[in-house]
Amino acid sequence: MLNNSLYRYLLLLGDNSLILGHRLSELCGHGPNLETDIALTNHSLDLFGQVRSYFQYAAKIAGEGTEDSVAFLRYEKDYLNVHLVEQPNTDFAHVICRQFLWDAYHLPLMKALMKSKDETLAAIGAKGEKEAAYHLRFSSEWMKRLGDGTEESHKRLQSALDHLYRYSYELFKESEVEKEMKEKGIGADLGKILEEWKKTTEDIFRSSNVSPSDDPPAIAKGKQGFHTEHMGFILAQIQYMQRAYPDMQW
Amino acid sequence: MTQKEINLEEQFQARIDRDESIEAKDWMPEKYRKTHIRQISQHAHSEIVGMLPEGNWITRAPSLRRKVALLAKVQDEAGHGLYLYSAAETLGITRDELTEQLHSGKAKYSSIFNYPALTWADMGAIGWLVDGAAIMNQVMLTRTSYGPYARAMVRICKEESFHQRQGYEIMLTLCKGTALQKELAQDALNRFWWPSLMMFGPKDDESPNTEQSVKWKIKRKTNDELRQQFVDQTVPQAEFLGLTVPDPALKWNEERGHYDFGDIDWDEFWQVVKGHGPCNKERIDARVKAWEEGEWVRDAAVTHAEKKDSRTEQKVA
């Protein structure tokens, strides 16, 4: 099925939400206070909601399987998410910074999908746009709080940005399937998303008093199925039940 | 006690007897206030610590549907904790003080959460049995005399009964599934049955607070009454699942119109209450860790808000 462009595109979209949703779900019950715990769990819930829509559609296109077989029963090289979303919850600054870099990409992505010629993707975009707008507002506010808070929070945020910024380039590195979907009017134009992403991030970096490092982009080929060393552990958890108790209903 | 205080106490009791709701700004005996702080915060802490055993299975949930439902459930518990802490705050204590009491071990939380969640079936058993037992208490509390607590409980009860149904549905799915799945369900029932009965607290004759709590209508039924009600309700549900309740003494008593059941291991009960259960230390350590690692975040939020305010003031000036 990976040769089917639309199917592959759905995996590209869905896997990012799946892995980021997973990272956020690890935090549930361990947040710095109840309010942020609840908010980040909301983000995770929204992302998993999107995953279900993408993968139900993918299973339909494949003509076999379910949202769960798509989510849980692939080998690592068949997951197509970017490296940014695999980055661990090192501290709250990393969580917020990872989220912000993602949200600033995700909102224009959803807006673009709303205009997709594919009706299902357009519907997913319409629902996701509202969620992504809220996520971006939340992470932007926290970027400012941490950047403008104490000396320690500022230092931690800058250090998180130093680590994570290198991974943001991969979001915009167009893969073959993204190019094809863009040309068919189904997928988003990453060039346009990048323009909006730059505007949003520059604005928030300024008000958070942090600056992106000029380190070169991390070599990251998640869209081709090559992942970081974190990915195996993530999948070990996500897939545990389906692998240990195969072919059962839950 | 002065004559004036005696009169106030009598008037207060008369209000309770008339089923009037006591509100935050009303006069209340100091002991009533303290009892409520203790009970409401204990309840809030139980919600927060209760997030941990179930949280342990979020990343390993067997399907996307189950994952989303579990995440939402654990999130609901955080929400319950939040309104219960707020209800406790109406009695003149801060959330930070309450948190400190939890971390230092001064405040208790429901002992059930000191048992580990070992398999996916435990997500079913916890919802079915633990939420089921909690609801017995909580439904009663929707009519408790202290208004803010009673109102918080109305909302909590609605969500809890949804959680219980969700838990039972997980059990039902397992019991209709393969032999291996049914084995998981039976094993979870075996491990959670007795701790669930312990959730109602010590026997009435060993429960020092019961009499006063009944008088103040904090409690409307005793521990033993609620425990019996739980057994009577739950045994037929276990039978419907085709599972065996792990109590050889369990038997329907025609004369009483109730199930008779075996003795609870009270040594184990007190051991867990005193902090020596399977996970007491891990649970508190996890809470303390989250709190300590979050300190710089909370500080940053406060500092940013202060800076923002002072910038606004400067502009206005």
Side-chain angles (χ1 to χ4, degrees):
Chain A
M1 270 323 286
L2 281 168
N3 297 327
N4 177 310
S5 301
L6 180 55
Y7 182 85
R8 197 178 170 93
Y9 189 57
L10 289 168
L11 295 189
L12 269 173
L13 295 166
D15 287 343
N16 282 334
S17 297
L18 176 72
I19 303 304
L20 185 58
H22 171 85
R23 279 299 191 208
L24 291 170
S25 79
E26 292 174 335
L27 294 165
C28 181
H30 307 278
N33 62 15
L34 284 173
E35 289 81 352
T36 44
D37 204 309
I38 290 170
L40 289 174
T41 303
N42 254 339
H43 289 34
S44 177
L45 279 166
D46 289 342
L47 290 169
F48 282 123
Q50 289 166 14
V51 172
R52 296 188 67 185
S53 304
Y54 289 130
F55 290 173
Q56 281 165 12
Y57 189 30
K60 195 174 148 197
I61 290 172
E64 58 176 17
T66 62
E67 59 179 41
D68 290 327
S69 60
V70 179
F72 298 113
L73 294 176
R74 280 178 285 148
Y75 291 108
E76 182 173 323
K77 65 174 179 43
D78 297 333
Y79 285 83
L80 305 177
N81 56 281
V82 296
H83 289 198
L84 175 70
V85 296
E86 294 171 26
Q87 298 306 307
N89 303 323
T90 308
D91 66 4
F92 190 73
H94 280 74
V95 171
I96 289 299
C97 192
R98 182 185 65 203
Q99 195 63 36
F100 172 69
L101 294 172
W102 160 263
D103 292 338
Y105 155 85
H106 197 214
L107 178 59
L109 173 70
M110 291 295 107
K111 284 183 180 162
L113 288 186
M114 283 167 79
K115 294 180 198 144
S116 171
K117 280 185 184 163
D118 182 291
E119 277 179 24
T120 309
L121 271 181
I124 294 173
K127 185 167 178 284
E129 189 263 342
K130 294 185 199 83
E131 294 165 350
Y134 162 68
H135 298 173
L136 178 60
R137 202 161 65 233
F138 179 88
S139 59
S140 300
E141 284 303 313
W142 270 107
M143 287 290 288
K144 288 187 236 169
R145 276 189 201 111
L146 298 183
D148 178 52
T150 61
E151 200 178 313
E152 181 179 6
S153 69
H154 178 264
K155 201 171 136 197
R156 282 179 185 261
L157 185 65
Q158 182 62 59
S159 143
L161 184 61
D162 290 344
H163 173 70
L164 293 165
Y165 194 78
R166 300 175 292 137
Y167 293 101
S168 56
Y169 296 93
E170 189 192 2
L171 290 166
F172 306 101
K173 204 168 159 196
E174 195 176 61
S175 63
E176 271 177 46
V177 73
E178 284 168 310
K179 183 164 179 275
E180 185 189 337
M181 289 294 109
K182 173 188 72 182
E183 285 165 359
K184 287 185 172 162
I186 294 172
D189 179 343
L190 290 179
K192 286 185 185 157
I193 292 180
L194 177 60
E195 280 171 33
E196 206 173 317
W197 185 85
K198 275 187 178 159
K199 254 189 266 166
T200 312
T201 53
E202 278 165 16
D203 177 38
I204 295 295
F205 290 157
R206 201 176 311 116
S207 41
S208 311
N209 197 23
V210 287
S211 26
S213 76
D214 43 19
D215 281 354
I219 295 176
K221 294 180 181 170
K223 292 179 189 182
Q224 282 75 39
F226 299 100
H227 296 281
T228 67
E229 288 183 346
H230 302 298
M231 189 63 175
F233 294 96
I234 293 173
L235 291 181
Q237 289 204 22
I238 290 187
Q239 298 187 339
Y240 166 68
M241 287 295 291
Q242 292 276 343
R243 296 292 190 202
Y245 302 89
D247 302 324
M248 296 182 201
Q249 299 301 312
W250 302 96
Chain B
M1 204 181 275
T2 64
Q3 189 57 42
K4 193 180 161 201
E5 277 168 335
I6 292 170
N7 287 344
L8 280 170
E9 282 232 27
E10 280 170 3
Q11 283 165 19
F12 180 81
Q13 188 61 48
R15 289 188 65 193
I16 301 244
D17 294 341
R18 288 195 299 272
D19 272 337
E20 281 180 29
S21 170
I22 307 299
E23 295 301 327
K25 288 185 175 170
D26 295 349
W27 184 88
M28 62 186 76
E30 190 53 19
K31 198 172 165 217
Y32 179 90
R33 196 180 69 83
K34 283 199 171 138
T35 302
H36 267 91
I37 290 178
R38 181 172 58 81
Q39 188 172 330
I40 300 172
S41 66
Q42 196 166 314
H43 192 161
H45 298 326
S46 301
E47 297 281 357
I48 301 309
V49 178
M51 294 169 75
L52 299 170
E54 290 177 294
N56 181 35
W57 277 90
I58 291 170
T59 58
R60 290 176 293 167
S63 70
L64 289 171
R65 183 172 79 93
R66 293 291 186 204
K67 193 188 283 286
V68 168
L70 184 61
L71 254 176
K73 181 188 174 187
V74 178
Q75 187 192 37
D76 281 348
E77 284 157 10
H80 297 172
L82 203 53
Y83 10 108
L84 286 165
Y85 283 128
S86 304
E89 283 183 309
T90 63
L91 293 159
I93 190 159
T94 65
R95 211 205 295 180
D96 282 358
E97 286 173 281
L98 295 170
T99 304
E100 168 52 34
Q101 289 177 359
L102 172 69
H103 295 174
S104 69
K106 190 182 164 209
K108 299 277 179 239
Y109 55 89
S110 182
S111 277
I112 190 82
F113 302 118
N114 293 317
Y115 288 85
L118 301 177
T119 73
W120 171 253
D122 291 8
M123 299 303 99
I126 290 174
W128 170 38
L129 301 172
V130 175
D131 290 323
I135 291 167
M136 298 260 155
N137 260 310
Q138 291 168 350
V139 166
M140 177 180 78
L141 288 169
T142 59
R143 295 185 298 131
T144 189
S145 58
Y146 188 55
Y149 192 23
R151 288 189 290 274
M153 289 321 303
V154 171
R155 188 162 166 191
I156 290 173
C157 273
K158 281 185 195 151
E159 292 178 350
E160 291 290 3
S161 57
F162 178 72
H163 295 164
Q164 194 204 6
R165 282 203 298 278
Q166 194 172 290
Y168 192 70
E169 202 257 322
I170 290 176
M171 293 301 274
L172 198 56
T173 308
L174 294 174
C175 292
K176 281 184 185 163
T178 62
L180 187 57
Q181 283 173 302
K182 192 158 184 184
E183 223 173 273
L184 285 175
Q186 180 65 55
D187 166 67
L189 173 60
N190 293 350
R191 283 180 291 107
F192 277 95
W193 175 256
W194 290 107
S196 300
L197 295 194
M198 293 177 196
M199 283 176 70
F200 297 96
K203 281 187 276 192
D204 290 348
D205 49 18
E206 285 168 23
S207 174
N209 300 320
T210 294
E211 197 191 343
Q212 181 67 71
S213 294
V214 170
K215 201 173 157 207
W216 277 337
K217 296 187 181 168
I218 299 173
K219 266 188 168 178
R220 289 174 184 256
K221 285 180 185 170
T222 68
N223 295 354
D224 286 335
E225 284 168 349
L226 287 167
R227 190 163 15 239
Q228 181 71 59
Q229 196 182 328
F230 176 75
V231 172
D232 290 348
Q233 178 188 296
T234 310
V235 171
Q237 294 171 349
E239 283 169 359
F240 184 78
L241 292 172
L243 297 178
T244 309
V245 173
D247 178 1
L250 186 79
K251 202 176 162 218
W252 176 252
N253 183 326
E254 197 64 51
E255 208 174 304
R256 290 201 310 125
H258 291 293
Y259 281 95
D260 292 335
F261 54 95
D263 288 331
I264 287 171
D265 181 347
W266 292 108
D267 288 342
E268 178 176 318
F269 173 83
W270 289 113
Q271 199 184 334
V272 183
V273 168
K274 285 175 185 155
H276 311 297
C279 303
N280 296 57
K281 193 172 178 318
E282 287 79 357
R283 299 298 184 230
I284 290 300
D285 287 353
R287 288 312 314 154
V288 170
K289 183 169 182 278
W291 186 251
E292 286 178 352
E293 286 179 357
E295 191 177 5
W296 69 268
V297 179
R298 297 188 300 275
D299 288 348
V302 171
T303 309
H304 168 69
E306 284 167 0
K307 283 184 185 173
K308 218 169 134 189
D309 284 350
S310 84
R311 282 194 291 261
T312 316
E313 276 167 26
Q314 276 169 10
K315 266 189 201 165
V316 173

